[in-house]
Amino acid sequence: MKTPTVLYQDNHLLAVNKPPALLTIPDRFDPAKVNLKSVMHGHFEPLYVVHRLDYNTSGVVLFARTSDAHKLLSRMFENGEIEKTYQALTKLPRDMEAIIDAPIRERISRPGTYEVHPSGKPSRTSFKVQSIFGLIALLDITLHTGRTHQIRVHLRHYGSPLLVDHEYGQQDAFFLSSIKHIKLGKGELERPLLKRSSLHASKVSFLHPITNNRVTIEAPWPKDFKAVVYQLNKAFN
């Protein structure tokens, strides 16, 4: 596991760049599993959770360092006062930008997964295409509500699922051979460039709950995401 990087810290807040393949908080069935909170707790104490990212999503995670900051930040998340920007590699959408306003609920047939449904909770996501690589796009996404798996569910509903997403996408991994010819040695198997959700929480921006100053925190792409964008640029641009 790559060590999480501290992006911002003061006496009230901590922001960390979460690597992929890492839980944000302890697993309720197996608390011994490695998770971001426990890793950072060894260096910062106490820590309070205010939001989380999916296991396979990388990027900015905010923690509170005091109970007062925790209450204020939690309220800000609930009220949509924290601007959350993501970047995703997806199937090329039909529009260069759009707002997806569609309610989301947990699937009755598959608990732990979600779907767009009229009886769901109000959910709103907007996106803008940043780059196009053939039938693949790099999107800038703004999350206006915070439902579980929201971006993944909304993009699938829109017809532009993540490039890689084992649950809501069309493939479990992305291989270089899908965009260019490569030579493999006898008996050699191609390794995927990306084998987790092609989604990265790139930025948060908000008014500091204690100082009221504007705080903007950005997380650079992890190695796997960066490698895919590099190869797409080479192949199509």
Side-chain angles (χ1 to χ4, degrees):
M1 180 196 76
K2 184 180 177 183
T3 304
T5 305
V6 174
L7 300 169
Y8 174 90
Q9 63 174 302
D10 61 26
N11 292 331
H12 313 283
L13 310 176
L14 174 71
V16 180
N17 190 2
K18 184 184 90 66
L22 179 66
L23 294 168
T24 302
I25 62 174
D27 185 278
R28 58 178 174 172
F29 301 110
D30 185 1
K33 282 186 178 179
V34 178
N35 61 86
L36 181 63
K37 184 176 185 292
S38 64
V39 170
M40 301 313 298
H41 197 269
H43 306 281
F44 300 90
E45 190 176 351
L47 277 184
Y48 301 85
V49 176
V50 290
H51 74 125
R52 68 191 72 177
L53 295 179
D54 293 343
Y55 175 79
N56 277 318
T57 301
S58 56
V60 184
V61 174
L62 275 177
F63 292 100
R65 299 185 65 186
T66 68
S67 59
D68 287 343
H70 180 232
K71 291 175 185 176
L72 293 169
L73 274 177
S74 297
R75 189 179 306 151
M76 290 169 69
F77 269 102
E78 289 174 7
N79 294 338
E81 297 171 19
I82 295 184
E83 299 170 20
K84 295 163 285 183
T85 304
Y86 290 70
Q87 290 181 300
L89 289 163
T90 74
K91 178 183 175 183
L92 182 65
R94 60 183 180 270
D95 301 300
M96 291 298 290
E97 56 185 294
I99 296 173
I100 307 170
D101 204 337
I104 292 175
R105 72 168 190 181
E106 188 171 14
R107 285 173 176 159
I108 296 173
S109 59
R110 294 189 65 183
T113 64
Y114 297 80
E115 65 182 351
V116 167
H117 193 276
S119 67
K121 296 179 180 179
S123 308
R124 186 179 175 91
T125 306
S126 60
F127 72 80
K128 185 174 184 178
V129 174
Q130 184 189 114
S131 302
I132 295 174
F133 314 100
L135 297 177
I136 299 170
L138 174 64
L139 307 185
D140 288 330
I141 300 168
T142 300
L143 200 58
H144 302 282
T145 52
R147 310 303 176 203
T148 303
H149 298 179
Q150 179 176 318
I151 291 174
R152 298 161 66 194
V153 171
H154 268 174
L155 288 177
R156 172 176 173 161
H157 174 72
Y158 193 79
S160 299
L162 293 182
L163 180 63
V164 179
D165 188 333
H166 73 280
E167 185 61 53
Y168 304 102
Q170 297 175 323
Q171 55 188 12
D172 294 335
F174 177 78
F175 294 87
L176 183 57
S177 59
S178 67
I179 56 171
K180 64 179 288 188
H181 177 71
I182 64 171
K183 291 183 179 180
L184 295 174
K186 187 176 180 180
E188 183 182 359
L189 295 176
E190 183 184 3
R191 294 182 179 181
L193 282 179
L194 189 70
K195 55 181 180 179
R196 53 95 178 183
S197 301
S198 52
L199 181 63
H200 177 69
S202 57
K203 182 170 70 173
V204 295
S205 185
F206 56 95
L207 293 178
H208 194 291
I210 307 300
T211 68
N212 209 39
N213 293 326
R214 170 64 61 178
V215 177
T216 299
I217 302 164
E218 297 188 60
W221 292 338
K223 185 178 179 180
D224 57 356
F225 198 100
K226 192 173 182 179
V228 173
V229 175
Y230 173 76
Q231 292 295 345
L232 288 170
N233 264 311
K234 280 186 65 177
F236 293 97
N237 295 323

